[in-house]
Amino acid sequence: ELNISPCRTMVAGDQMNDLTMFDRDLAAYQVCPGNAAAQVADLVKANGGLQSEALYSDGIVEAAGRLLH
C-alpha cells in the first residue's frame, strides 16, 4: 500500500473493466472520455467526476484539465 489519500488521487477509464477504480474511497478525482461506456460515464458523473466531449486519451487529458483547474 502506498498510503496516498483519495483526495490526492485521480482515476481515468472508459470501459467496464475500469468500474472498480471509480470508488470515492480510492480516488476523489474521476474522469472519463466522451466515448466511455455508458455505465462508466454514469458512475463518474454520479461520483462528481467529469466526462469529456473529446474521445479516447484526448478526452482524459481534457477532462483532467477541467477538473484540476
Side-chain angles (χ1 to χ4, degrees):
E1 179 159 327
L2 298 174
N3 292 320
I4 299 172
S5 170
C7 69
R8 299 188 62 158
T9 305
M10 182 177 80
V11 294
D14 63 351
Q15 295 301 317
M16 299 300 290
N17 64 310
D18 298 322
L19 282 175
T20 57
M21 292 191 303
F22 294 107
D23 181 336
R24 296 283 299 163
D25 291 334
L26 298 175
Y29 301 100
Q30 303 180 14
V31 298
C32 67
N35 62 300
Q39 282 184 280
V40 172
D42 290 345
L43 182 57
V44 167
K45 291 183 265 186
N47 286 344
L50 291 176
Q51 180 180 22
S52 173
E53 291 183 18
L55 308 179
Y56 305 104
S57 58
D58 290 338
I60 298 296
V61 171
E62 189 269 326
R66 285 181 28 217
L67 189 65
L68 298 174
H69 280 101

